[in-house]
Amino acid sequence: MEATSGEPASTSSPPAPTPAPPSRPKKKSQMEVEGYPVEGISIGGQETCVIFPTLSVAFDIGRCPQRAVAQEFLFISHAHLDHIGGLSMYVATRGLFRMRPPTIFVPACVADLVARLFEVHRAMDQSELAHKLVPLEVGQEYHLRKDLKVRAFRTYHAIPSQQKLKQEYLGLPGSEIKKLKLSGVEITNTVTTPEIAFTGDTMSDFILDPDNADVLKAKILVVESTFLDDSISIEHAKEYGHTHLLEIVSQSDKLENKAILLIHFSARYTVEVGISYHCLRAGCQQNFYSCN
Ligand SMILES: [Zn+2]
Ligand SMILES: [Zn+2]
């Protein structure tokens, strides 16, 4: 038995309104810093992934935001999960889309553990997870291209496995070198200019490290600034192994960078911190940006 109810449908009833096409989410306006488009997300303790798409580079992978998958080179600053959590998904997703296996740079002290992590995933799901893993010691360099290399530099965070991060440079041959090159002479003396330095999580002590002169000269310094106001003191920031914005401002005379991109704000800050910090302190020469 079937129960029915209601009036029979009338052929003269008005047609149902055509559904509107799904509206696309508004594209977030892209940040550009010193000529480099910059994308990504960075919230302290949650996820950090800063992307320079024109270099095909991501610094840290966070939870693997979609845009990170397109980047061929990944630099992991340290093994806290808010920086490395999405690593396996990054490699797996590139494999799924048949993209070139990525090159992943990690601090040498965690390289074996990262290799084991991939072995565990392979054992669990029979996947290939193809990638090239490059351990970097502090001071060690690696050429991404003929004119682009990276060098790991020391930072100061909470645990020993977190002391190595990366810096990018562009090698710019001078006119003399070019002449020699054209005449077939082997070029051994290349002028390099530091372009981008990325600190990951660190105390502000990296500023005082004499080996980090190039970091302070890089065109763009991407630096963590986990704490922003008086609710957390500079001393507390140090106890947690992090940097306070006031330390960056008070030492800005040591920073020769043209632009400073602040990342890794604590999730305690709920207000939009703003894109520009031009007026942070009278006398600051740098342009300040934030990634949150
Ligand atoms: Zn972190
Ligand atoms: Zn950390």
Side-chain angles (χ1 to χ4, degrees):
M1 189 188 298
E2 254 185 316
T4 59
S5 64
E7 299 285 326
S10 158
T11 51
S12 62
S13 59
T18 314
S23 60
R24 287 190 179 171
K26 272 189 191 161
K27 205 180 170 193
K28 211 178 159 188
S29 60
Q30 198 179 50
M31 192 193 314
E32 189 168 308
V33 181
E34 292 299 318
Y36 289 98
V38 183
E39 300 175 27
I41 182 164
S42 182
I43 303 168
Q46 295 188 6
E47 52 182 324
T48 285
C49 178
V50 179
I51 299 166
F52 288 79
T54 51
L55 299 174
S56 203
V57 158
F59 291 103
D60 288 335
I61 192 63
R63 300 178 185 183
C64 190
Q66 198 177 356
R67 284 288 291 133
V69 174
Q71 317 310 316
E72 193 177 339
F73 301 102
L74 171 63
F75 297 90
I76 295 293
S77 66
H78 65 294
H80 274 160
L81 279 174
D82 56 321
H83 299 259
I84 200 174
L87 181 62
S88 304
M89 276 305 293
Y90 164 72
V91 175
T93 310
R94 282 187 66 91
L96 185 70
F97 292 119
R98 300 188 191 286
M99 302 167 91
R100 198 193 312 227
T103 304
I104 301 165
F105 299 82
V106 295
C109 53
V110 296
D112 286 349
L113 292 169
V114 171
R116 276 164 56 191
L117 177 74
F118 282 112
E119 282 309 319
V120 168
H121 279 295
R122 287 188 189 107
M124 285 193 294
D125 78 351
Q126 317 285 313
S127 60
E128 190 183 0
L129 295 174
H131 66 278
K132 180 178 181 184
L133 190 63
V134 181
L136 281 184
E137 298 279 4
V138 168
Q140 214 174 341
E141 296 185 340
Y142 187 97
H143 276 268
L144 300 188
R145 304 190 310 237
K146 233 176 169 181
D147 63 344
L148 183 67
K149 67 178 175 181
V150 295
R151 191 173 74 203
F153 65 91
R154 185 174 301 282
T155 57
Y156 299 83
H157 194 29
I159 57 171
S161 61
Q162 301 166 331
Q163 294 190 337
K164 297 163 183 92
L165 298 164
K166 289 82 198 174
Q167 176 182 2
E168 305 228 341
Y169 290 46
L170 280 175
L172 302 174
S175 57
E176 265 313 294
I177 293 171
K178 195 172 177 186
K179 226 187 286 172
L180 284 169
K181 198 174 181 181
L182 288 173
S183 69
V185 175
E186 195 182 332
I187 306 305
T188 55
N189 190 18
T190 304
V191 178
T192 60
T193 56
E195 289 286 300
I196 302 166
F198 177 88
T199 69
D201 290 358
T202 183
M203 288 184 279
S204 64
D205 302 45
F206 79 94
I207 297 173
L208 302 173
D209 188 329
D211 291 337
N212 285 348
D214 274 352
V215 175
L216 312 186
K217 288 193 181 91
K219 198 187 279 180
I220 303 170
L221 173 64
V222 185
V223 60
E224 76 124 288
S225 174
T226 303
F227 302 110
L228 302 172
D229 63 18
D230 294 341
S231 61
I232 293 286
S233 66
I234 289 174
E235 289 67 35
H236 268 90
K238 283 191 185 299
E239 272 171 35
Y240 296 133
H242 290 296
T243 298
H244 197 294
L245 176 62
L246 292 174
E247 295 178 277
I248 297 169
V249 172
S250 66
Q251 298 189 75
S252 66
D253 57 324
K254 299 184 185 72
L255 307 176
E256 297 171 44
N257 319 96
K258 285 191 173 161
I260 295 176
L261 175 57
L262 303 172
I263 63 168
H264 205 264
F265 297 146
S266 164
R268 75 181 56 229
Y269 303 111
T270 50
V271 290
E272 180 74 28
V273 186
I275 292 296
S276 177
Y277 284 82
H278 288 278
C279 303
L280 255 185
R281 196 192 71 156
C284 277
Q285 299 299 309
Q286 306 86 356
N287 288 327
F288 282 78
Y289 303 81
S290 69
C291 181
N292 59 344

